[in-house]
Amino acid sequence: MPFDIYNFTSFTQWIDSSLHNAMSPFWTALTEMVIIGVLVLMFYAVVGLFLVYAERKVCAFMQNRLGPNRVGPFGIFQTIADLVKLLFVELIPIKNADGFLFNLAPFIVIIAGFMAIAAIPFANGLHAIDMNIGVLYVIAVSSMGVIGVLLAGWSSNNKYSLIGAMRSGAQIISYELSVGLALITIVILAGSMQLSVIVEAQRDGWFIFKGHIPAFIAFIIFLISSTAETNRGPFDLAEAESELTAGYHTEYSGIKFAFFFLAEYMNMFIVASIAATIFLGGWMPFHVGPWVGFNHIMDFIPPFVWYIGKTFFVIFLMMWFKWTFPRLRIDQLLTLEWKYLLPINLVNVLIMAFLVLMGWHF
Amino acid sequence: MEEKVKNITTEEQQEYVINMGPQHPSTHGVLRLVVSLKGETVKSVQPHIGYIHRGIEKMCESITYPQVIHLTDRMDYLSAHINNEAVCLAVEKALEVEISDRIKVIRTLMSELTRIQSHQLWWASFGMDLGGLTCFFYGLRDREKILDIFEETCGSRMIVSYNCPGGVMYDLHPDFAKKVKEFIRYFRKILPEYNQLLTGNVIFHERSKGIGNLSLEDAISFGITGPSGRASGFSCDVRKHEPYSAYDRVTFKEILYTQGDTYHRYVARIEEMWESMNIIEQLIDNIPEGPFAVKMKPVIKLPEGEYYQRVETARGELGVYVISDGNKNPYRVKFRSPNFVNLSVLNHIAKGFKIADLVAIGGSLDLVIPDIDR
Amino acid sequence: MRSIIEYLKEIVFGVWSLMQGMKVTGSYFFRPSTIVTQKYPDNRKELVMYERFKGEVVMPHNEKNEHKCTGCGICELNCPNGTIEIISKTIVTEDGKKKKAIDKHIYRLGMCTFCALCVKTCPSNALAFSQGFEHAVFNRALLIKTLNKPGSQLMKGVE
């Protein structure tokens, strides 16, 4: 296989075995955890900061503006400057707020995102854990963030925050369903919940092409419902600044606000990377059946680049949504889910199961 | 104490009162709305005004007539020129000054440009109220072109102070006609884009259709004028019914709808922009020659009496009521401002809708807060 | 059956209308030439204001440090906000006559509303608007300006 030159399996195994030789199994496990934790934390920070910058640039270009252009060339250090500013901003204590929950909320939000990264395969053999229920794990973990949002809204002792939190709860509980069903469609096609197997199954064609129309519909539904799940426009009802000033994080300042802010972008990155992994072939290069030369050229692009490229494509789509559409109202949001997305999704799953049963996919 | 608790019904206990404003992103100024909610549904809206009360009517009593004009700019700052015009027309009416055709045409052109830029800003902020932030930038981008035209001729962009009793302050800039034509050509191309982005959007339809219905009877009894009133079928265009300046020599359509919901208040304004462009196109090619201002006495004294002049601003009917006791200062000036009246209907039409709809309804009434408080 | 067709039609129309909006924003995204904002402090040199722009009131002086202000006080009378204050003095002219002249023409920029009544009504055209628009200062006292330059005199021929 030509792209085995980019296979990280032997590299990670070599690290593992050399650590085993050096110390006891307990310390090996601990060291590996620390290494992975530090790497993921760095990745988290870099991606979060970059996405904030990217979003500002993308929306600026859509709005005929230049966007940040003061700090560094093309303003690339703008978000770092903002972060430094946020670090120095006073943490305003809120009267009558539930202090413990108030401080806990941003951590829950950020940890939920943090945990989901563990299961995502960045390249061949480059993932923290390869669980056989990877899809389930990702769905379960990423929906934990809403607890943080609810806690933030409840403990802030602010009426706007409370409305925002309640909206967010209703929204995520319903859209969780669509996300799950859209992924189930692909799980039926792949026959596995293990993310590495799902990626491997897309070696000769991404699922969005392989699965005919049902896969495409599932992709669209996943895109819509995951946008809703990350509380981004046009589904940003939880923070809806024209109605609720800033929704659930109205009362947060300084680094705690930065946590919410980073978590929003990180959640976006995670759902985008799930979409890329499950529908667009993860780190798999783009292959067109009989064109051997073309396929060969595609193989020379490293898998990590493929993965990042696909993820950013999905993120760009989500940004495009946000900066184009007006916001929905809460009842319309639920109507969209229960009257449109869910029935379509159920029919879609049925069709997909039928296709797989008959062996009519590629 | 016991009794007091008993008197509160469960209904009242369940009310969730939130305080929108005076600092809130969607009240567009220092307006305070005390909103009682049940869940997300609005039970009542109580506007509290006066945060930007500057006493303009009282101030007018101590200054001369030419000086009054610069204060009217600061009432409804988005239709500054039309406010100026109202005062000038009232003064001219009192003095029975015959103003030349050129002045009339210049004033009409400027008024219509003002109307377009006001509606552009309204469109921009209405889009933002509904959460479509990109609208805001497109609206302001195109408004900038009109402001540039203003700046070239009047010297300032928004608070123009361009009128004076008996005419206008300066003659039109030589490039004026060229630039206005250029703008009309540009904006005729851009306006369909507005429709693509927002008007045709299915989310926007859902958000605005059937929201905040105002019946014709209510519109008349509340005195809702301007595009908000015309969306309910209230034919109240002063330009049509009581033409002033050069409005009697142009043909234009009065935009009337009967539904009176947020969507039709929106469409009425979009259509008004097209009509304003038609009016400008009819006038721009043949601006009559003549002086740009009639020579007035250095100290203007109005003959004793009461004078009333109404004009159509971008938000409705502005009435200027001047009582003169023959001095150089007016004895009393009263402005019938459209926004103050339009605000009064908010509780009536927002009741029973969601809090997000309240924002949309407030946006569709197009309130300018300094005009409410004066 | 009809309701299902209606339902599907609704979805297709909805998606189509959303795509229309995305077309607008997307087309601007891929055309950076349509960007209208300016890099303001960097482009100070190219920034030309319109000739009639009402920046702030100034009193033009010629190269001999002469201005046209006779100190008549009409601008002070016409100003609606008390922005202008004129302090006059009596001077003795060459032919021995006593004459009123301007000592200080005080202009409070912080109070000015740029209504242009002073410039418009000045009988000797002594006042004008400058093009400057960067009025921000760190000290409020700096907004009170004296328009006539020190040692300046009335231009000959202006009464």
Side-chain angles (χ1 to χ4, degrees):
Chain A
M1 283 296 150
F3 54 77
D4 275 359
I5 49 167
Y6 297 118
N7 196 338
F8 286 88
T9 322
S10 51
F11 175 67
T12 44
Q13 267 165 7
W14 172 73
I15 290 177
D16 187 46
S17 55
S18 50
L19 279 174
H20 262 293
N21 293 339
M23 44 188 134
S24 70
F26 171 76
W27 285 107
T28 312
L30 200 69
T31 322
E32 281 174 354
M33 273 186 226
V34 168
I35 291 173
I36 291 168
V38 168
L39 281 178
V40 170
L41 204 62
M42 276 163 61
F43 185 71
Y44 200 114
V46 170
V47 167
L49 288 177
F50 177 74
L51 281 180
V52 176
Y53 170 73
E55 163 120 68
R56 291 181 65 177
K57 269 293 191 202
V58 166
C59 83
F61 274 68
M62 283 183 179
Q63 294 165 346
N64 287 337
R65 294 186 289 124
L66 279 167
N69 56 27
R70 293 282 130 190
V71 193
F74 305 104
I76 48 172
F77 300 123
Q78 181 67 50
T79 43
I80 294 169
D82 288 347
L83 184 77
V84 171
K85 185 212 86 179
L86 280 174
L87 282 171
F88 286 113
V89 165
E90 183 194 357
L91 292 168
I92 297 162
I94 312 295
K95 214 188 233 176
N96 297 336
D98 188 333
F100 176 67
L101 296 183
F102 186 76
N103 291 328
L104 184 68
F107 288 98
I108 291 184
V109 170
I110 213 153
I111 284 169
F114 203 55
M115 281 166 78
I117 293 187
I120 293 163
F122 295 105
N124 197 359
L126 195 68
H127 41 213
I129 329 158
D130 188 17
M131 275 172 286
N132 55 357
I133 49 157
V135 175
L136 192 64
Y137 170 80
V138 165
I139 297 173
V141 158
S142 64
S143 60
M144 247 171 59
V146 70
I147 299 171
V149 172
L150 277 172
L151 283 185
W154 177 257
S155 62
S156 294
N157 188 28
N158 180 317
K159 291 178 174 178
Y160 288 123
S161 299
L162 186 59
I163 297 180
M166 291 303 142
R167 281 181 178 187
S168 178
Q171 178 182 344
I172 291 183
I173 284 169
S174 16
Y175 275 84
E176 203 50 36
L177 215 61
S178 277
V179 172
L181 280 173
L183 293 180
I184 288 287
T185 320
I186 296 304
V187 168
I188 291 171
L189 182 62
S192 170
M193 277 190 147
Q194 197 168 358
L195 285 166
S196 61
V197 175
I198 290 177
V199 173
E200 199 59 36
Q202 301 181 63
R203 184 176 293 273
D204 48 348
W206 302 348
F207 277 153
I208 192 166
F209 304 125
K210 260 173 122 176
H212 298 291
I213 295 164
F216 187 70
I217 292 176
F219 178 65
I220 299 286
I221 289 175
F222 181 80
L223 217 56
I224 294 171
S225 46
S226 60
T227 312
E229 217 195 308
T230 47
N231 276 335
R232 279 182 61 78
F235 307 103
D236 54 347
L237 289 120
E239 36 192 275
E241 78 284 334
S242 65
E243 299 145 29
L244 305 177
T245 56
Y248 62 90
H249 58 60
T250 307
E251 297 287 1
Y252 283 88
S253 64
I255 194 67
K256 284 190 243 170
F257 166 73
F259 272 18
F260 279 114
F261 198 59
L262 267 184
E264 183 194 330
Y265 285 95
M266 216 47 221
N267 285 335
M268 184 166 75
F269 180 79
I270 287 160
V271 294
S273 54
I274 294 168
T277 309
I278 291 187
F279 294 95
L280 303 176
W283 45 263
M284 278 291 170
F286 182 65
H287 280 180
V288 182
W291 299 0
V292 180
F294 177 79
N295 293 350
H296 206 71
I297 294 166
M298 289 287 137
D299 288 343
F300 275 104
I301 300 172
F304 191 71
V305 173
W306 274 108
Y307 164 77
I308 288 287
K310 288 168 188 175
T311 309
F312 278 100
F313 170 71
V314 177
I315 288 174
F316 175 71
L317 280 183
M318 288 166 75
M319 286 177 179
W320 198 354
F321 291 157
K322 169 157 185 175
W323 296 107
T324 306
F325 302 139
R327 187 182 301 117
L328 282 100
R329 210 169 55 205
I330 182 72
D331 56 328
Q332 289 160 357
L333 183 90
L334 299 178
T335 310
L336 175 69
E337 163 64 21
W338 295 101
K339 282 196 184 159
Y340 293 91
L341 294 185
L342 190 68
I344 294 172
N345 225 333
L346 287 171
V347 173
N348 201 33
V349 171
L350 200 71
I351 296 172
M352 181 55 101
F354 184 70
L355 283 180
V356 172
L357 200 66
M358 302 303 279
W360 284 349
H361 59 89
F362 293 115
Chain B
M1 189 69 199
E2 280 281 299
E3 256 170 57
K4 215 179 174 186
V5 173
K6 262 180 204 163
N7 283 340
I8 299 172
T9 58
T10 43
E11 193 85 325
E12 276 168 346
Q13 276 172 353
Q14 283 172 355
E15 248 173 40
Y16 190 73
V17 181
I18 65 167
N19 195 10
M20 273 172 96
Q23 277 85 36
H24 189 278
S26 69
T27 52
H28 303 303
V30 280
L31 173 69
R32 178 174 164 220
L33 301 173
V34 178
V35 188
S36 303
L37 298 174
K38 189 175 183 189
E40 287 238 358
T41 311
V42 175
K43 293 195 74 185
S44 73
V45 189
Q46 203 180 359
H48 287 223
I49 61 170
Y51 288 90
I52 191 163
H53 177 70
R54 292 148 297 176
I56 285 183
E57 286 177 7
K58 190 71 189 165
M59 271 154 86
C60 289
E61 290 168 19
S62 56
I63 51 178
T64 62
Y65 291 101
Q67 290 175 351
V68 164
I69 286 158
H70 95 286
L71 283 178
T72 60
D73 275 325
R74 275 131 184 108
M75 291 182 346
D76 181 354
Y77 48 79
L78 289 178
S79 32
H81 184 273
I82 311 180
N83 297 350
N84 292 173
E85 195 180 344
V87 178
C88 292
L89 287 171
V91 171
E92 282 152 17
K93 204 189 225 176
L95 292 174
E96 287 162 2
V97 183
E98 207 42 54
I99 57 167
S100 72
D101 280 359
R102 186 178 174 80
I103 299 169
K104 286 180 179 169
V105 170
I106 289 176
R107 281 181 177 170
T108 311
L109 281 170
M110 283 293 185
S111 297
E112 290 311 308
L113 282 174
T114 308
R115 198 179 312 280
I116 295 178
Q117 63 94 3
S118 168
H119 285 340
Q120 278 170 338
L121 187 88
W122 158 80
W123 182 82
S125 61
F126 187 56
M128 198 173 64
D129 281 344
L130 295 178
L133 283 164
T134 304
C135 304
F136 189 75
F137 292 92
Y138 291 172
L140 286 187
R141 175 196 66 195
D142 302 332
R143 178 170 179 259
E144 204 70 358
K145 298 203 187 304
I146 294 187
L147 295 187
D148 276 346
I149 295 171
F150 281 172
E151 190 181 347
E152 197 173 31
T153 292
C154 320
S156 23
R157 299 168 70 78
M158 207 161 88
I159 313 288
V160 284
S161 295
Y162 184 50
N163 276 300
C164 58
V168 289
M169 294 287 258
Y170 319 99
D171 203 356
L172 288 179
H173 195 270
D175 288 347
F176 180 78
K178 197 187 91 202
K179 284 213 167 171
V180 170
K181 277 185 215 162
E182 216 169 85
F183 167 76
I184 299 271
R185 215 175 307 129
Y186 167 81
F187 197 53
R188 277 187 188 281
K189 269 209 313 273
I190 289 291
L191 203 45
E193 227 170 63
Y194 284 18
N195 291 340
Q196 268 185 340
L197 186 64
L198 197 63
T199 319
N201 196 310
V202 67
I203 302 175
F204 175 72
H205 280 209
E206 291 284 318
R207 280 295 301 274
S208 60
K209 274 191 180 159
I211 303 297
N213 296 40
L214 177 66
S215 66
L216 175 58
E217 290 76 29
D218 286 339
I220 293 171
S221 57
F222 275 100
I224 308 301
T225 48
S228 312
R230 289 196 282 278
S232 301
F234 179 21
S235 169
C236 56
D237 199 332
V238 181
R239 296 175 293 170
K240 202 89 186 168
H241 295 298
E242 211 175 90
Y244 55 95
S245 293
Y247 284 111
D248 47 356
R249 70 182 72 178
V250 290
T251 50
F252 65 98
K253 214 165 68 211
E254 186 179 1
I255 311 294
L256 281 176
Y257 291 103
T258 48
Q259 290 88 337
D261 56 356
T262 303
Y263 180 73
H264 285 90
R265 284 194 282 274
Y266 170 92
V267 177
R269 290 200 169 84
I270 296 277
E271 289 297 316
E272 269 201 5
M273 285 199 247
W274 288 109
E275 284 307 315
S276 291
M277 283 196 280
N278 283 340
I279 295 173
I280 292 170
E281 277 187 336
Q282 286 173 41
L283 291 173
I284 192 73
D285 279 325
N286 34 28
I287 304 172
E289 292 298 315
F292 62 87
V294 177
K295 190 92 181 115
M296 302 288 272
K297 282 181 199 146
V299 179
I300 297 172
K301 284 182 181 171
L302 257 56
E304 216 168 297
E306 298 174 12
Y307 309 98
Y308 187 72
Q309 173 68 40
R310 53 186 195 144
V311 295
E312 180 77 17
T313 73
R315 277 159 201 79
E317 180 187 320
L318 172 75
V320 178
Y321 178 56
V322 184
I323 304 178
S324 169
D325 55 358
N327 268 332
K328 62 179 181 159
N329 306 333
Y331 177 75
R332 170 86 168 94
V333 179
K334 158 82 185 148
F335 296 107
R336 185 259 183 222
S337 73
N339 286 295
F340 181 72
V341 183
N342 288 3
L343 174 69
S344 66
V345 84
L346 188 62
N347 181 30
H348 181 71
I349 57 176
K351 224 182 260 176
F353 290 101
K354 298 270 184 297
I355 185 168
D357 294 330
L358 172 67
V359 173
I361 292 168
S364 74
L365 287 175
D366 192 11
L367 302 170
V368 168
I369 313 305
D371 193 29
I372 296 172
D373 292 348
R374 295 195 293 284
Chain C
M1 192 63 207
R2 183 172 294 162
S3 65
I4 292 179
I5 290 170
E6 283 290 307
Y7 177 82
L8 291 177
K9 236 186 205 168
E10 221 173 275
I11 292 171
V12 170
F13 167 76
V15 171
W16 183 81
S17 76
L18 295 177
M19 301 277 269
Q20 290 293 312
M22 285 175 72
K23 205 173 85 188
V24 175
T25 44
S27 82
Y28 282 116
F29 179 77
F30 290 109
R31 279 186 296 160
S33 61
T34 55
I35 288 174
V36 289
T37 49
Q38 299 174 350
K39 293 188 173 179
Y40 159 57
D42 302 344
N43 70 351
R44 266 203 189 118
K45 285 207 183 78
E46 301 101 75
L47 208 63
V48 182
M49 304 308 287
Y50 291 110
E51 155 206 10
R52 289 181 188 175
F53 178 69
K54 296 187 233 174
E56 65 181 284
V57 177
V58 289
M59 189 183 285
H61 288 61
N62 66 2
E63 61 279 3
K64 283 189 267 171
N65 202 12
E66 290 173 337
H67 57 75
K68 288 191 204 158
C69 180
T70 56
C72 64
I74 285 180
C75 50
E76 189 179 358
L77 273 176
N78 269 295
C79 181
N81 322 301
T83 305
I84 294 171
E85 190 185 334
I86 288 169
I87 299 167
S88 49
K89 63 183 176 190
T90 352
I91 49 161
V92 182
T93 48
E94 285 158 15
D95 35 325
K97 276 185 201 160
K98 276 189 179 170
K99 206 179 153 193
K100 206 173 115 184
I102 190 159
D103 182 25
K104 269 181 179 171
H105 188 293
I106 293 172
Y107 169 62
R108 296 186 182 86
L109 179 57
M111 285 161 79
C112 185
T113 53
F114 308 103
C115 62
L117 283 175
C118 51
V119 177
K120 193 80 181 160
T121 53
C122 181
S124 49
N125 285 330
L127 296 175
F129 274 114
S130 78
Q131 312 278 298
F133 57 92
E134 289 162 325
H135 296 319
V137 285
F138 282 106
N139 188 348
R140 200 187 296 178
L142 294 175
L143 289 174
I144 300 172
K145 299 181 180 185
T146 307
L147 292 188
N148 54 329
K149 288 181 187 158
S152 61
Q153 276 184 337
L154 183 65
M155 208 180 278
K156 287 221 170 66
V158 178
E159 283 304 316

